[in-house]
Amino acid sequence: MSTVKLTVNGKAVAVDVEDRTLLVQLLRDHLNLTGTHVGCDTSQCGACVVHMDGKAVKSCTMLAGQADGASITTIEGIAKGDELHPMQAAFRDNHGLQCGYCTPGMIMSAIDIVHRYGGQLDEATVRAELEGNICRCTGYHNIVKAVLDAAGRMKVSQAAE
Amino acid sequence: MYQTTYHRASSVDEAVSLFGESSEAKFLAGGQTLLPVMKQRLASPSDVIDLGKIKELQGVELSGDTLTIKAATTYYDIMTNADVKKAIPAIAHLTSVLGDPAVRYRGTIGGSIANNDPAADFPAALLALGATVKTNKRSIAAEDFFQGLFSTALEDGELITAVSFPVPAKAGYEKMRHPASRFALTGVFVAQTKSGEVRVAATGASQSGVMRVPAIEAALKSNWSPSAIDGVAISANGLLADIHGTAEYRANLIKVMAQRAVSAAG
């Protein structure tokens, strides 16, 4: 057992876990943050993507101990109160989900993509960059639309801040 | 995953000494291979020694005609590094087609070559560029480092600290990606050294891991162009065959990927 200290969605936490605990298990089983999903558990599907120090990583392929000292943001941490994050709002408005299983990971990856490209995105780039996130419902069209829509909204909301 | 004991090292010396104190330890860099393998229970190290916080294992240095990438530098940091893009853009390209964005944030060059997966990308770059693997004990030529499937010259407890690449005159890398795993179904790295030597290495193709391709090297030596490879015969003997492709298919891919890599190298 080890104590892992990290910041999750802005809150400092210390969690006693077995050394073999994965980051996704710490989030879901110890902190009850079940918005982050486990799909394939083999780092292919992207349902478990969270941000670690601002970078989108697959939380099923990290030990909790590797996140010690880091700042983690999950899908539960991106809305401001009742106001959805622009990426969440764009997924809703563009019907970028059906069953919703992949959505938390899609949204966390998509936010990272927009940050990396400074909002300068086109359809081909979004499709290529989403290769680590698998959706079995939508056929991706509306997800891609949502990301492009959100890229514009995030630029606007950042400019407003 | 079986039980294990996690350690975080803050220096190379500490990592090596922790390794020595454990019964069956493994070094953990980005974990993008080791953790999946542990989850499948194909590996069950008594201890894992995390290298992620060791500063001396991070970063890229360009000095004269040598590009040195420290072992725990992530693919993302390699892909976006200005010195890498300037000195050996083929390496930046290689990292951009390796894994997916989330994997590239975590996976490291040292982890890739220490594992020596027969379909990994970096072994081809090291072999074609004539790189040198630096460890805490010695320097090992790429030629001697890779020793077949998942096997390297590393001794127990020996830790890769960096990889040094001679900056080539020209280099290119192209691969046929497996669409799900993103490993190379076959990938070919071509390089022309500043002294005019041509070196070509293929990954994902051979049953014994990364390999040089002498026939293509000879053809490119006399004529550095994609068409020089048209008439080269690649034997399917000893090549991998699985549900994704026959040995003959991979033999042909070696040619096609080499041609594309030469085009990319210019």
Side-chain angles (χ1 to χ4, degrees):
Chain A
M1 295 289 281
S2 305
T3 303
V4 176
K5 292 180 183 167
L6 66 175
T7 304
V8 179
N9 298 332
K11 212 168 86 184
V13 293
V15 192
D16 292 325
V17 293
E18 284 185 353
D19 285 14
R20 63 177 167 178
T21 305
L22 300 168
L23 177 60
V24 71
Q25 294 170 325
L26 179 147
L27 295 170
R28 288 179 55 87
D29 303 345
H30 296 265
L31 300 179
N32 295 322
L33 293 170
T34 53
T36 302
H37 292 163
V38 180
C40 68
D41 201 21
T42 58
S43 55
Q44 299 193 49
C45 82
C48 67
V49 169
V50 301
H51 291 180
M52 181 167 80
D53 297 328
K55 291 175 175 172
V57 298
K58 291 183 168 172
S59 63
C60 81
T61 309
M62 276 190 64
L63 293 176
Q66 291 177 285
D68 190 84
S71 176
I72 303 293
T73 305
T74 70
I75 189 72
E76 289 93 342
I78 58 173
K80 288 181 182 161
D82 289 341
E83 185 194 340
L84 292 178
H85 184 282
M87 189 64 74
Q88 291 174 303
F91 266 69
R92 184 182 63 185
D93 295 348
N94 290 278
H95 196 55
L97 61 149
Q98 287 179 30
C99 86
Y101 199 86
C102 72
T103 311
M106 282 286 178
I107 286 178
M108 299 313 283
S109 288
I111 292 171
D112 179 73
I113 293 166
V114 174
H115 285 158
R116 265 187 290 129
Y117 283 83
Q120 301 297 310
L121 282 168
D122 54 33
E123 183 191 333
T125 306
V126 172
R127 286 184 186 278
E129 288 287 342
L130 280 177
E131 66 182 337
N133 292 77
I134 294 173
C135 172
R136 301 286 79 156
C137 303
T138 62
Y140 300 97
H141 288 320
N142 288 350
I143 291 174
V144 174
K145 270 193 224 165
V147 177
L148 290 169
D149 183 5
R153 299 189 198 193
M154 284 169 67
K155 224 163 44 183
V156 172
S157 73
Q158 275 159 5
E161 277 169 8
Chain B
M1 188 184 297
Y2 289 113
Q3 291 284 7
T4 189
T5 302
Y6 171 86
H7 308 268
R8 187 180 309 110
S10 53
S11 69
V12 168
D13 287 345
E14 189 189 2
V16 170
S17 96
L18 283 166
F19 193 103
E21 291 160 15
S22 313
S23 56
E24 274 187 61
K26 280 273 189 196
F27 291 121
L28 174 66
Q32 301 302 288
T33 296
L34 180 57
L35 293 175
V37 169
M38 286 172 68
K39 288 201 280 188
Q40 290 170 309
R41 295 187 168 182
L42 296 173
S44 52
S46 62
D47 299 75
V48 290
I49 297 154
D50 186 359
L51 311 173
K53 296 269 161 61
I54 302 180
K55 289 217 167 57
E56 61 194 296
L57 291 180
Q58 299 281 346
V60 174
E61 283 166 13
L62 179 61
S63 161
D65 272 346
T66 304
L67 180 77
T68 300
I69 304 178
K70 308 271 185 68
T73 310
T74 64
Y75 303 133
Y76 177 79
D77 287 345
I78 295 169
M79 181 176 84
T80 54
N81 182 276
D83 285 337
V84 174
K85 287 198 273 192
K86 187 176 93 179
I88 316 182
I91 289 183
H93 171 68
L94 176 148
T95 44
S96 77
V97 294
L98 192 170
D100 61 46
V103 169
R104 292 196 283 269
Y105 274 140
R106 299 289 305 157
T108 69
I109 183 172
S112 170
I113 62 171
N115 187 49
N116 193 18
D117 188 295
D121 301 278
F122 260 112
L126 268 71
L127 197 55
L129 290 166
T132 303
V133 179
K134 306 278 174 71
T135 76
N136 61 318
K137 291 180 179 168
R138 57 187 167 142
S139 294
I140 310 168
E143 221 81 60
D144 304 321
F145 181 82
F146 299 110
Q147 301 188 343
L149 301 189
F150 300 104
S151 170
T152 70
L154 289 172
E155 291 162 7
D156 218 25
E158 186 174 12
L159 179 62
I160 302 169
T161 55
V163 181
S164 286
F165 296 92
V167 176
K170 293 175 175 186
Y173 179 69
E174 292 297 325
K175 75 168 169 178
M176 179 65 78
R177 299 177 87 190
H178 184 286
S181 74
R182 301 159 194 108
F183 272 99
L185 203 52
T186 285
V188 176
F189 202 106
V190 300
Q192 190 184 78
T193 68
K194 289 201 166 165
S195 59
E197 192 193 351
V198 172
R199 296 170 62 104
V200 175
T203 188
S206 166
Q207 291 171 11
S208 30
V210 66
M211 64 169 189
R212 296 272 295 271
V213 193
I216 292 179
E217 290 176 354
L220 290 175
K221 174 85 182 164
S222 52
N223 175 15
W224 180 268
S225 79
S227 61
I229 303 167
D230 285 342
V232 175
I234 303 287
S235 164
N237 278 345
L239 297 190
L240 289 163
D242 54 29
I243 59 166
H244 308 301
T246 60
E248 290 74 19
Y249 180 74
R250 282 184 165 87
N252 190 57
L253 273 183
I254 291 175
K255 272 177 72 168
V256 175
M257 292 302 123
Q259 289 177 315
R260 290 183 188 174
V262 171
S263 298

